[in-house]
Amino acid sequence: MIALRPSVNRVWQREPAGYRAGSALDRLQADLRPYACDRLSAGRLCLTLPQGPQLEISERPQALFLAHIVSHRFSLSGRTALTGSARLTVRGTGWWRQRGVRYCTAGDEAAARQLTGWLARYPQIGATLAQLDFRHAQLTLAAGRWQFSIEHFAACEVVSRLPPGRRYLRLTAAQRCLLLSACLMVAQLMEKIDD
């Protein structure tokens, strides 16, 4: 890989032209009603579920040719008694329709085996994720902490410069329910592992 000079690297990583920090998050916040949301910054939001866990939602702008997409990453984390570091990536199976999910692991084999073993005991987590339209989902363990992060295909804004346009893909009530249920089930699973 070619290393760029620091000044060139800063220019390369700047935000896309036309990106308005927080505008897509305002639309998402409306989709998340009636759940309690607190704005942490222009691009970050904290959603508190009635059962207790708090999800942090952050905007993720991605530049494309003459356009950009603003997606949102939902993440929650906590402490765990599991040792080792591992990364578990969730992938949908099936080409046309998702028929389930599979877990791809990396890192410490013992920790990854423990995680997949626990997930196998609770198949409703995989069944919920299989119904969810997600772009990316990952569970990581490191230094006595766990983090689950997921990006939905909806709940994003697509901005085009040619032709000029801005379109928000809203998060439907059914997908919102599945997304928040999956996050809650992962949090409950991690609590059970520590008991």
Side-chain angles (χ1 to χ4, degrees), residues 5-178:
R5 293 178 52 170
S7 59
V8 175
N9 207 16
R10 251 183 275 119
V11 170
W12 188 261
Q13 293 178 353
R14 70 178 173 203
E15 294 171 346
Y19 168 61
R20 297 184 303 203
S23 69
L25 199 57
D26 291 336
R27 306 279 302 270
L28 175 61
Q29 190 170 355
D31 290 346
L32 294 172
R33 285 193 186 108
Y35 295 99
C37 296
D38 297 316
R39 190 58 76 103
L40 302 175
S41 68
R44 287 177 46 229
L45 187 71
C46 181
L47 181 143
T48 305
L49 293 173
Q51 296 84 351
Q54 290 186 333
L55 284 120
E56 186 176 306
I57 304 164
S58 56
E59 280 190 348
R60 305 192 43 90
Q62 178 188 3
L64 304 170
F65 181 68
L66 295 177
H68 70 271
I69 295 175
V70 182
S71 59
H72 294 93
R73 177 168 285 177
F74 293 75
S75 60
L76 70 157
S77 60
R79 301 200 67 71
T80 183
L82 290 175
T83 57
S85 62
R87 183 176 67 245
L88 186 135
T89 304
V90 184
R91 301 210 190 285
T93 59
W95 177 73
W96 181 252
R97 287 187 173 268
Q98 285 193 356
R99 296 190 183 108
V101 292
R102 66 182 165 93
Y103 305 110
C104 304
T105 58
D108 183 16
E109 283 185 41
R113 220 174 307 116
Q114 272 187 305
L115 269 180
T116 52
W118 277 96
L119 285 164
R121 288 186 214 170
Y122 296 95
Q124 62 270 30
I125 296 173
T128 302
L129 287 168
Q131 298 173 51
L132 191 60
D133 299 327
F134 64 91
R135 168 183 292 125
H136 171 80
Q138 188 170 289
L139 177 62
T140 56
L141 287 177
R145 294 195 61 80
W146 64 271
Q147 181 180 34
F148 178 67
S149 61
I150 188 164
E151 285 182 39
H152 198 278
F153 270 115
C156 69
E157 185 177 53
V158 181
V159 181
S160 173
R161 285 187 279 163
L162 191 66
R166 186 177 293 267
R167 181 169 183 236
Y168 175 73
L169 304 172
R170 76 181 201 84
L171 183 65
T172 63
Q175 285 291 304
R176 178 191 67 203
C177 182
L178 289 168

